[in-house]
Amino acid sequence: MGIADARAMHPAIDVVEQDIAADRRLLEGLADWCDRYTPLVALEGTEGLFLDITGCAHLFGGERAMRDDMLTRLFHQGFAVCCGVASTPGAAWAASRHTRADPSPDCAQARAEPRADWKRAIVAPGREEALVAPLPLSALRLDLATRDGLESVGLRTVGAVLDTPRAPLARRFGKAVLLRLDQALGRVEESISPRLPVPPLSVERAFAEPLVQLEDIERLVLALGAALKQDLERRGEGARKLDLLLFRVDGVVRRISVGASRPLRNPLLMQRLFRERLATIGETIETGYGFDLIRLSAVQVARFDSMQMDLTGAAGDHGDDMALFADRVRARLGEGVLMRQAPAESHIPERAVTMAPVAAAMAKFSPATVLSAAAARKRDRPIRLFKPPEYVDVTAAEVPEGPPSHFRWRRAAYTVARAEGPERIAPEWWCEDDGQARDYFRVEDTTGRRYWLYREGFYGADGMQPRWYVHGMFA
């Protein structure tokens, strides 16, 4: 109804403009909080969540105990929640919205009155049809037009739809009616898509007295890392990315992530990385009343190759210190601080290399491969490229396609003693306005300095003089 009519009926009504983005953030925050019960949490529309608790309920004493704990905690956080537990998502959805579930099991009314209606929110396996049969058509998650069409022919409950032949229903109202009905009854499998990937390994610890000091969290990371190490060793893997989830008493969840250049298992290294991260963001972490649950998850894992040690106890791999240094810098300052050069699919020199995070490079780091790659690059390309190439004034050159003999660059004149080339690099045909072909020369002046010059264009072409540039310098 209109606001004027609503205020006429209820003068004290409070009207607040809807904020869809804020509602979405709140729902996502609740989804993060529900991760304490199961990692399989999915958003359902704008006001609901799906939790797949298969294999998780026994950790809380069963489905009923899990539901009671969840509703109690949400009630103390200020939320009115209706919960339904069933063997299928469709039946759970119907039970949460169309059964009289008490959203606040700790309130005085719930303690004083019988809780039989509230217990109906848990549907026993095989009782899905008995649950949905007396419910209205909205329990099947059908759109409004389909519901109006079914009600126009006298089908006002799910039971009436069940008693109707399926073929006429499909012809007149589409297959969506039968699909939703079969999903609710478990005849067709319906899976939920979790909003976050499920980590392969996780360890957690709950506290009767919440933690409020960051120093205690750092010490706990060491203990959780030791438990995670056992699982990693059993699987022959190491962690490449770790998440530390801090569940606050009032429902706020803080997620702290660190990455590792190489797979790691050492709890001390895990603690050191999180110490660097907490040193950076510690001021932004509001402990409030404390954290009652802390979880350490290995979000990304990789094969862990053990290194053969020599008689002195050294593993013979000199990349560990460099990897640890890179990991600590990234944990403190961010992923984009340390970058590396990575090859790109282009033969144009300035496009043949791109910058990428250093983590991928450190996974395969070894001095031998770095030196061999540098030596191979040194033979063909200069170790230093100018961006952009700098214009040079060539005063004398062999026509039509020879190297220059004299050129002026940065107000200084140079005489070429030796030259190699040309190496022609044509423009990429799939790029528009990519310029002209280039002829590259490796030249050395009379003092022994070596330059990488190129000519853009050709002598005698359309009566225009080509332009010369210096693109780099050799060591």
Side-chain angles (χ1 to χ4, degrees):
M1 64 177 62
I3 295 179
D5 296 335
R7 281 178 171 163
M9 297 175 61
H10 303 279
I13 192 172
D14 186 16
V15 179
V16 180
E17 185 175 356
Q18 184 182 16
D19 189 342
I20 298 178
D23 292 342
R24 182 74 175 187
R25 290 194 298 268
L26 176 61
L27 190 62
E28 291 177 349
L30 286 176
D32 290 336
W33 180 85
C34 289
D35 193 58
R36 66 188 299 147
Y37 297 101
T38 173
L40 300 176
V41 182
L43 302 181
E44 199 286 312
T46 59
E47 58 180 16
L49 297 173
F50 271 133
L51 279 68
D52 188 348
I53 62 173
T54 304
C56 302
H58 70 281
L59 301 175
F60 300 87
E63 295 177 351
R64 192 176 304 278
M66 174 187 277
R67 180 204 60 184
D68 292 352
D69 181 74
M70 183 184 303
L71 295 180
T72 300
R73 291 176 181 269
L74 290 173
F75 170 71
H76 287 303
Q77 294 176 22
F79 295 100
V81 181
C82 294
C83 175
V85 183
S87 300
T88 65
W93 192 94
S96 65
R97 287 162 172 78
H98 295 278
T99 58
R100 293 177 56 190
D102 190 336
S104 52
D106 274 2
C107 65
Q109 181 181 3
R111 291 193 296 267
E113 297 181 356
R115 299 166 66 179
D117 289 337
W118 180 45
K119 293 179 182 180
R120 287 180 55 196
I122 296 182
V123 183
R127 298 289 299 172
E128 293 82 11
E129 183 173 349
L131 167 76
V132 300
L135 299 181
L137 298 178
S138 56
L140 291 181
R141 296 176 290 172
L142 297 174
D143 58 86
L144 182 59
T146 303
R147 296 202 306 266
D148 291 342
L150 291 170
E151 293 175 355
S152 65
V153 296
L155 303 177
R156 302 183 179 277
T157 63
V158 179
V161 176
L162 285 170
D163 296 336
T164 303
R166 296 172 62 91
L169 280 176
R171 285 196 302 267
R172 184 165 182 177
F173 301 102
K175 297 181 180 180
V177 177
L178 301 182
L179 177 62
R180 288 301 192 187
L181 186 62
D182 292 339
Q183 287 176 342
L185 301 181
R187 299 170 183 172
V188 175
E189 183 178 358
E190 181 184 4
S191 59
I192 67 173
S193 299
R195 55 185 296 267
L196 295 176
V198 180
L201 293 173
S202 295
V203 291
E204 65 181 35
R205 183 171 295 181
F207 304 94
E209 294 292 333
L211 299 181
V212 295
Q213 299 294 330
L214 295 182
E215 293 79 7
D216 296 334
I217 297 176
E218 291 183 10
R219 287 192 291 268
L220 182 63
V221 170
L222 183 62
L224 295 177
L228 190 63
K229 178 183 177 181
Q230 300 178 2
D231 296 331
L232 291 171
E233 289 179 342
R234 186 179 65 254
R235 295 163 59 104
E237 297 174 336
R240 289 294 305 275
K241 183 180 179 182
L242 294 166
D243 277 1
L244 185 66
L245 276 73
L246 309 176
F247 294 85
R248 214 164 68 184
V249 175
D250 58 355
V252 178
V253 180
R254 186 63 187 263
R255 185 184 305 269
I256 305 173
S257 300
V258 297
S261 301
R262 292 182 170 186
L264 59 86
R265 297 175 180 169
N266 193 337
L268 290 174
L269 297 182
M270 298 181 188
Q271 184 189 41
R272 188 175 300 179
L273 293 180
F274 278 107
R275 181 182 295 120
E276 298 289 349
R277 188 64 178 152
L278 290 173
T280 304
I281 65 174
E283 298 180 356
T284 64
I285 298 179
E286 298 180 0
T287 58
Y289 292 103
F291 303 101
D292 62 343
L293 177 67
I294 297 180
R295 176 182 302 162
L296 180 63
S297 301
V299 180
Q300 295 179 4
V301 296
R303 179 181 175 181
F304 189 91
D305 294 326
S306 301
M307 304 297 296
Q308 181 66 38
M309 302 180 67
D310 56 20
L311 295 179
T312 63
D317 182 12
H318 304 287
D320 289 338
D321 293 340
M322 181 63 71
L324 179 59
F325 168 77
D327 293 340
R328 295 183 63 182
V329 172
R330 290 164 50 224
R332 180 178 285 269
L333 303 178
E335 292 288 337
V337 174
L338 292 180
M339 307 294 288
R340 68 176 178 92
Q341 291 184 346
E345 296 182 356
S346 177
H347 55 269
I348 305 298
E350 59 267 28
R351 302 176 189 168
V353 175
T354 184
M355 302 303 293
V358 74
M362 296 308 301
K364 300 180 179 179
F365 174 83
S366 68
T369 56
V370 171
L371 290 177
S372 62
R377 184 171 61 250
K378 185 177 179 181
R379 289 194 299 267
D380 299 329
R381 297 289 184 263
I383 60 174
R384 180 185 179 188
L385 289 179
F386 298 129
K387 184 180 180 181
E390 298 185 10
Y391 175 76
V392 297
D393 183 15
V394 173
T395 58
E398 297 180 12
V399 179
E401 297 180 356
S405 56
H406 300 276
F407 65 92
R408 179 178 293 273
W409 174 50
R410 294 183 178 178
R411 299 183 180 181
Y414 300 88
T415 301
V416 177
R418 284 175 289 273
E420 295 178 348
E423 175 191 357
R424 179 161 295 178
I425 299 179
E428 296 172 338
W429 59 266
W430 56 88
C431 297
E432 297 182 0
D433 300 331
D434 203 28
Q436 303 178 9
R438 303 175 182 178
D439 282 348
Y440 279 86
F441 297 88
R442 292 184 292 273
V443 301
E444 181 179 332
D445 65 5
T446 54
T447 61
R449 296 186 180 91
R450 302 182 68 224
Y451 307 91
W452 203 36
L453 304 178
Y454 74 86
R455 183 189 66 244
E456 188 176 66
F458 304 96
Y459 286 101
D462 299 330
M464 299 182 63
Q465 292 294 324
R467 296 174 64 87
W468 288 84
Y469 297 89
V470 58
H471 204 163
M473 297 180 62
F474 294 89

